[in-house]
Each structure stands twice: as structure tokens, then as C-alpha cells.
Amino acid sequence: MSIDEMLRQKKLKVTPQRKAILTVLEKSESVLSAQELFREVLELLPGTNFSTIYRNLDMLISKGILCRIHRESGGDLYEIRRKEGHHHHVVCKSCGASFALDFCPMEELRRELQKQGFTPTEHRFEIYGYCDKCRK
Amino acid sequence: MSIDEMLRQKKLKVTPQRKAILTVLEKSESVLSAQELFREVLELLPGTNFSTIYRNLDMLISKGILCRIHRESGGDLYEIRRKEGHHHHVVCKSCGASFALDFCPMEELRRELQKQGFTPTEHRFEIYGYCDKCRK
DNA sequence: CTAATTGCAAATTGTTTGCAGTTTA
DNA sequence: TAAACTGCAAACAATTTGCAATTAG
């Protein structure tokens, strides 16, 4: 699906800024911080403002077009949501490459927690390490 | 083990500020943000500075005396490390109560990821929801 | 005594907001 | 043309830093 279609499907206006943001994220093989994204968007569309980046990141995440990944060192990471439905991410600490994981630990845990009286509503499972290329 | 012993064991000086921080965290049944912790420490030891809180949080975490837990809405949460060794946390979104989890999803996943060429070095698994009391 | 620790004030970093002007559908 | 969106500048919140004074061991 093209970027334009993607946006229209979510009833979002197709602006040059949005297209730039999605183009960068779509081309990127790694997860990007808002700052990194900003830098790259600037090359594609000079003059774009940082607040536009942030507003769009929030908007696109709320529409399910992007994923947000936490980072230990503060500042979140973003990527195109390439996989439908619930999933987690594996991220290379060296090159930033990421891939989606099918496995979700909550499946086997939910029942157990319920039994203990705890009702889970959200969880986070993120894996960091080194991909094949980067592990030397 | 007393707070003083805890600190000495890690070769940290026993200062009133550190004792206050650990006293608050030890008494607290919930995970605390740096701000919340600060407020409570202030009651115990007026005049304590915020930078002292942050410096000590970092120090105590590096020594394994505290745990840091992420929070979706930014700002981390802290608690005394009540359980030895590697573990994850379950946190109530209403009252902040937390408990440690034995289960770690990486055990069964590590081999699988290795097989795919990925070497995991770190991971995060955090569960949020409502505890028995708060779920109405 | 001296290395560790603290308070203070200022700087950073990352992100958010109000508003007026512009653009998309 | 109306609602959505953007740029701008300023505000914010959380955290970090340099440094001089203090304190624990």
C-alpha cells in the first residue's frame, strides 16, 4: 500500500510533511529516534519543524501506522508498523535494525496472574542485543 | 539487613540523605517516581536537594540496591530490590503496588533468537494492570 | 585527612503548547 | 470554506552538570 493510501485510509490528510516522515521511516532499516527522523526528514523536506514531527509521531501511532519502542537511555524509537496485530520487537543495539516477534509472553502468563488476583491490561516486552552482522 | 549494613556492604557512605531515600523506599508499598520520592524524603530530611536524589538513585541502582521500572507516560519508577537475581515486575496502575515475577520469557526465547542469528543482551518485560484491591 | 558526597544554580535534553497563518479535501 | 495541519517561539518537565563547601570513614 502506498503512503498516500495509508494516510487516506486512516482519514488523515496527505501533507508533504507526513509523506516525508513516512518515506523516511519506510526506507529506514532501523528504528529511529525523533531526532534522527527529524534530521532525515529535513533533507527530504527542508524547513519542516520539529513540532510537526512530534505531532505526527503521536498521531500516526494512535492510528496504528507506527510503533514506538522505549530506549533505556531516554528518548523513544519509532518505526513503521510492518506487522499487523499485537507483537513485540527485537532491536540491534549497534545498527538499530529491528524485527517483530510473534511470541508474546503474556499468553501463558495472563491466566497465572489472574489466578493471583492481578488483572493485566498492558505490558511491554522489548529485546535488545546484536544482530548477525553486528556481532563480531 | 538494616539500611546501614546494606550501604556499608556496598562500600557506600552512610549519609542522612541516603538513609532517608532508602527508608522511604523501604516503607513504601508502591513504586515511586523520583518526584514522589523527593517529596517524601523532604519530610524526613528537609533541605535535601533534588540532585542528590537523582545521583543516589543512579548510584543505588548501579549497586543493585534499587530497581528502575519504566513508565509509559515518561518518568521512571523506583523501588527497593526485594528479590535477588534477575526478575521482572508487575505494577498496579491504580495504587502503584508492585510485585516481583519469577517468570522470565527470555529463557525460552534466547535459544530461538540465537538460532536466528540474534544475540540478546538485554530485555525488558513489564506488566501493568490492576491488583485485587483496585480492580472494582 | 581525603575521597565521597552534598547543595546550589544553571544548563541540557526531550517534548509539548498556543496561536496565527496555510493547506487539504 | 471548514477542519486539519503547519511553523514559530516560547514553555515545560525531567534530569544532569560544575563547582565549592561539607562530611563520613
Side-chain angles (χ1 to χ4, degrees):
Chain A
M1 195 194 308
S2 78
I3 287 176
D4 289 33
E5 288 172 318
M6 227 156 149
L7 289 170
R8 286 207 196 84
Q9 185 187 302
K10 300 290 183 180
K11 306 202 195 320
L12 293 175
K13 299 203 165 171
V14 180
T15 67
Q17 293 82 349
R18 268 183 195 148
K19 291 175 73 160
I21 289 170
L22 289 176
T23 303
V24 168
L25 284 170
E26 195 157 69
K27 288 214 179 89
S28 171
E29 314 206 334
S30 44
V31 288
L32 298 177
S33 67
Q35 316 279 336
E36 291 163 336
L37 175 63
F38 179 51
R39 266 175 243 127
E40 300 210 27
V41 165
L42 232 37
E43 299 196 2
L44 224 52
L45 192 69
T48 302
N49 194 275
F50 216 143
S51 57
T52 302
I53 301 286
Y54 276 115
R55 276 192 280 238
N56 275 302
L57 285 173
D58 288 345
M59 172 96 300
L60 296 169
I61 284 168
S62 78
K63 295 290 185 181
I65 296 179
L66 301 183
C67 292
R68 165 181 278 140
I69 299 172
H70 268 267
R71 186 168 47 170
E72 202 61 49
S73 52
D76 295 339
L77 302 173
Y78 301 87
E79 70 172 359
I80 287 262
R81 189 177 195 93
R82 297 197 161 86
K83 188 187 183 66
E84 286 301 312
H86 177 71
H87 63 272
H88 299 287
H89 290 97
V90 179
V91 180
C92 176
K93 291 198 294 178
S94 170
C95 69
S98 92
F99 61 91
L101 202 66
D102 280 307
F103 173 76
C104 175
M106 279 312 285
E107 287 166 29
E108 52 185 308
L109 196 56
R110 175 163 283 111
R111 188 185 322 279
E112 180 57 32
L113 287 174
Q114 290 281 11
K115 209 181 299 174
Q116 296 180 227
F118 191 91
T119 309
T121 59
E122 290 142 52
H123 62 281
R124 182 180 313 158
F125 182 37
E126 287 157 12
I127 299 158
Y128 303 91
Y130 297 98
C131 72
D132 220 352
K133 290 178 214 148
C134 296
R135 175 202 38 172
K136 306 189 188 67
Chain B
M1 194 193 308
S2 77
I3 287 176
D4 289 33
E5 288 172 318
M6 227 156 150
L7 290 171
R8 286 208 197 84
Q9 186 186 301
K10 301 290 183 180
K11 305 203 193 323
L12 292 175
K13 297 201 168 174
V14 180
T15 67
Q17 293 83 347
R18 267 180 198 154
K19 290 175 72 160
I21 290 171
L22 289 176
T23 302
V24 168
L25 285 170
E26 195 158 68
K27 288 214 178 90
S28 172
E29 314 207 334
S30 43
V31 288
L32 298 177
S33 67
Q35 316 279 336
E36 291 162 336
L37 174 63
F38 180 50
R39 266 175 242 128
E40 302 210 26
V41 165
L42 232 37
E43 300 197 1
L44 224 54
L45 193 69
T48 302
N49 195 274
F50 218 143
S51 56
T52 303
I53 301 286
Y54 277 115
R55 275 191 281 236
N56 274 302
L57 285 173
D58 288 345
M59 173 98 294
L60 295 170
I61 285 169
S62 78
K63 296 290 184 179
I65 296 178
L66 301 182
C67 292
R68 165 180 278 141
I69 299 172
H70 268 266
R71 187 168 46 171
E72 201 61 47
S73 51
D76 295 339
L77 302 172
Y78 301 87
E79 70 172 359
I80 286 262
R81 191 179 195 91
R82 296 198 162 86
K83 189 188 185 64
E84 286 302 313
H86 178 71
H87 62 272
H88 299 287
H89 291 98
V90 180
V91 179
C92 176
K93 290 198 293 179
S94 170
C95 68
S98 92
F99 61 90
L101 201 67
D102 280 309
F103 173 75
C104 175
M106 280 312 286
E107 286 165 29
E108 51 186 308
L109 196 56
R110 173 164 283 110
R111 187 184 322 279
E112 180 57 32
L113 288 174
Q114 290 280 12
K115 210 182 298 175
Q116 295 178 230
F118 190 90
T119 309
T121 58
E122 290 141 54
H123 63 281
R124 183 181 314 163
F125 183 36
E126 287 157 13
I127 299 158
Y128 302 91
Y130 296 98
C131 71
D132 220 351
K133 290 177 212 149
C134 295
R135 174 202 40 170
K136 302 181 191 75

